[in-house]
Amino acid sequence: MASTSHKLTIYQLLPRLFGNTNTTNKFYGSIEENGCGKFNDITPQALTEIKAMGFTHVWYTGIIEHATMTDYAAHGIKPDDPDVVKGRAGSPYAIKDYYDVDPDLAVDVPNRMQEFEALIIAHP
């Protein structure tokens, strides 16, 4: 029998849902109504438990900035046209900016890229 020690097993993690403890799930609800997980919800303990389940890698899904109805104008982010947004939270597959991360996932929106980088550096 061949060894499987080289086999990669990927855990797909959607941060928007992963750390969200709000169970409202209101149809067409806002981030305030339905909540949203954050980068800092992905703790060393959570990653250790994922590894203990046998996963070798984590695929962070929905990280890249996408169109949303959440108003971030106060942070210099232009509002998105409602005609291109899928639901109020938007679709993590409807990419808006390949060089930025989703502000919904940050505790401190202006420092969202640093929050994401800290996650990757701290938990390679």
Side-chain angles (χ1 to χ4, degrees), residues 85-120:
V85 179
K86 298 177 180 180
R88 294 188 68 168
S91 167
Y93 300 103
I95 305 301
K96 173 179 163 181
D97 184 347
Y98 284 95
Y99 300 97
D100 202 352
V101 295
D102 183 8
D104 288 348
L105 303 177
V107 173
D108 181 18
V109 172
N111 293 308
R112 61 192 174 277
M113 187 59 79
Q114 290 85 352
E115 287 184 31
F116 175 62
E117 289 172 354
L119 169 65
I120 301 304

Side-chain angles (χ1 to χ4, degrees), residues 24-108:
T24 304
N25 200 19
K26 178 181 177 186
F27 178 76
Y28 204 70
S30 67
I31 191 172
E32 292 81 13
E33 294 167 318
N34 288 338
C36 183
K38 305 292 181 190
F39 291 129
N40 67 358
D41 291 322
I42 306 165
T43 64
Q45 178 184 356
L47 293 172
T48 298
E49 291 178 19
I50 289 169
K51 186 175 184 177
M53 290 188 283
F55 294 97
T56 59
H57 294 77
V58 175
W59 172 19
Y60 296 113
T61 305
I63 297 291
I64 301 173
E65 186 180 10
H66 59 275
T68 179
M69 293 303 297
T70 307
D71 183 4
Y72 289 110
H75 302 288
I77 301 171
K78 294 180 183 177
D80 295 310
D81 184 333
D83 292 334
V84 300
V85 179
K86 298 177 180 180
R88 294 188 68 168
S91 167
Y93 300 103
I95 305 301
K96 173 179 163 181
D97 184 347
Y98 284 95
Y99 300 97
D100 202 352
V101 295
D102 183 8
D104 288 348
L105 303 177
V107 173
D108 181 18

